[in-house]
Amino acid sequence: MSAFWKYTLARLGLFVACFAVFFVVLSLFFKTDETLVLLAALGGLLTSALLSFFVLRGLRDDLARQVSDRAANMSRRIEESRRAEDVD
């Protein structure tokens, strides 16, 4: 599985877990309605973003390395193509 999908699924899983925690905690104190779901989603989003900065550092570094390698490879191929055109 590529680093992109690992990181994306890890972010999504972290959000779902944070959302579930916020939803359960808020539903203990308030009646369940659209506002509660929205607050749980907002809390889950903010918390998962903060946690992912620390928890998913390794996956994010792998993704950045993969993107960097692809960009370098693409630049190399473009430069090789440019040199081949200049030879004619």
Side-chain angles (χ1 to χ4, degrees):
M1 185 181 306
S2 73
F4 171 78
W5 287 111
K6 287 179 185 177
Y7 182 71
T8 300
L9 291 174
R11 284 290 306 257
L12 183 62
L14 191 58
F15 168 72
V16 169
C18 290
F19 172 78
V21 168
F22 270 92
F23 185 79
V24 168
V25 170
L26 288 174
S27 65
L28 293 175
F29 298 104
F30 304 104
K31 69 179 184 118
T32 303
D33 62 355
E34 294 85 13
T35 306
L36 180 99
V37 173
L38 182 63
L39 286 174
L42 183 61
L45 184 67
L46 294 174
T47 305
S48 68
L50 182 65
L51 285 175
S52 71
F53 184 73
F54 300 105
V55 175
L56 303 178
R57 181 173 299 188
L59 290 174
R60 189 175 52 252
D61 290 344
D62 290 344
L63 177 60
R65 196 172 312 110
Q66 183 183 31
V67 169
S68 176
D69 290 347
R70 283 183 134 185
N73 187 28
M74 186 77 87
S75 295
R76 181 187 52 78
R77 288 177 41 200
I78 289 171
E79 188 59 36
E80 286 174 0
S81 176
R82 185 176 296 145
R83 284 189 202 133
E85 289 176 359
D86 290 343
V87 170
D88 294 340

